[in-house]
Amino acid sequence: MYKACIFDLDGTLTDTLESLTYSVNETLKELGLSCITGEQCRAFVGNGARYLLEKALAAAGDEKLTQIEEAMRVYGRVFQKNCTYRVKPYEGILELLKTLKEQGILLAVLSNKPHLRTLDVVDAFFEKDTFTYVQGQMEGIPRKPNPTAVWMIAEKLGADPKECLYVGDSDVDMETAGAAGVESVGVTWGFRSKEVLKAHGAKHIIDHPEELVSIIKEKGV
């Protein structure tokens, strides 16, 4: 029986690609570098802000990452102002979360997005108390795919990891679930392909949010 669902945020619950691309490009402009494309940004996200900026700097010509520390400072300021820029929940997500809450499933968010920006997005697009716990990337908590945060969230929810589903759109998410010993659900509407999800160990793969309800029903609530 599943007791809880832990969700990734970017590419899983919310379409944030325009926000991320815009913020990265504003950062690159301030540094006097060329912009990246949305598709490049899509490929770079998932491993946290520093990784995103390292890949963006390299793509923009700073292959030795000489400006990474300045980029981190600029991006922090730019992204704080623009983390909800053109962001929206994916179709069917709000209905899914409502259904799961009604069924008594505990909901949480675990993201590699900086913690305060994770809170900003959750507060902007989801009703208060939708999620029992929300965790973004912050000092002292290893970022995904390290399983520590999954175990921490499961404990705070009062659930055994075996009673949890981890839902995400990326290779990092599937690796996180595998490392934590929780069942993974890969979603195909996000930033990675079905083939990537399969290659990284997705237990289930869904094409629409409502399919998650069926997975939970099969095991019993």
Side-chain angles (χ1 to χ4, degrees):
M1 182 174 76
Y2 297 118
K3 188 173 183 178
C5 281
I6 304 172
F7 291 90
D8 172 54
L9 184 60
D10 295 352
T12 301
L13 294 174
T14 50
D15 185 352
T16 57
L17 186 60
E18 285 195 65
S19 168
L20 292 164
T21 304
Y22 178 81
S23 297
V24 168
N25 282 336
E26 288 299 300
T27 299
L28 294 173
K29 288 177 186 177
E30 280 203 35
L31 300 181
L33 296 170
S34 59
C35 294
I36 63 171
T37 67
E39 285 308 302
Q40 284 177 305
C41 190
R42 180 190 299 273
F44 298 160
V45 299
N47 286 277
R50 190 178 189 91
Y51 180 90
L52 169 60
L53 289 172
E54 287 176 350
K55 300 296 279 188
L57 285 174
D62 182 12
E63 295 181 358
K64 294 185 178 180
L65 307 181
T66 60
Q67 299 184 77
I68 184 60
E69 299 305 330
E70 183 180 2
M72 287 293 291
R73 289 191 292 272
V74 173
Y75 182 77
R77 167 171 48 80
V78 171
F79 195 46
Q80 181 178 0
K81 296 178 181 179
N82 296 287
C83 68
T84 60
Y85 173 74
R86 295 188 177 178
V87 171
K88 59 183 180 297
Y90 286 102
E91 181 182 354
I93 286 294
L94 297 180
E95 294 82 358
L96 167 67
L97 298 176
K98 181 180 179 181
T99 297
L100 295 181
K101 288 279 286 186
E102 290 173 348
Q103 293 180 350
I105 300 294
L106 299 173
L107 308 178
V109 171
L110 174 58
S111 176
N112 273 345
K113 184 191 289 290
H115 183 63
L116 293 179
R117 305 295 76 82
T118 298
L119 294 176
D120 287 343
V121 172
V122 169
D123 289 345
F125 297 102
F126 302 99
E127 291 185 4
K128 185 178 179 181
D129 300 327
T130 295
F131 301 102
T132 302
Y133 197 82
V134 176
Q135 183 66 59
Q137 185 181 356
M138 62 190 301
E139 188 174 345
I141 299 177
R143 63 179 172 83
K144 300 181 293 183
N146 186 292
T148 300
V150 173
W151 294 332
M152 179 189 73
I153 291 172
E155 182 177 0
K156 290 182 178 295
L157 297 179
D160 186 280
K162 293 180 180 179
E163 298 175 310
C164 299
L165 281 174
Y166 188 84
V167 185
D169 71 301
S170 74
D171 45 337
V172 173
D173 294 317
M174 300 305 100
E175 291 171 5
T176 302
V182 303
E183 280 198 22
S184 56
V185 180
V187 307
T188 61
W189 55 80
F191 298 159
R192 298 291 186 271
S193 68
K194 182 178 295 187
E195 290 71 27
V196 168
L197 296 172
K198 285 182 178 178
H200 290 268
K203 174 71 173 178
H204 309 276
I205 296 181
I206 61 176
D207 298 316
H208 192 276
E210 67 184 12
E211 294 176 52
L212 182 61
V213 178
S214 299
I215 291 172
I216 292 173
K217 283 182 177 179
E218 287 176 7
K219 195 167 182 177
V221 178

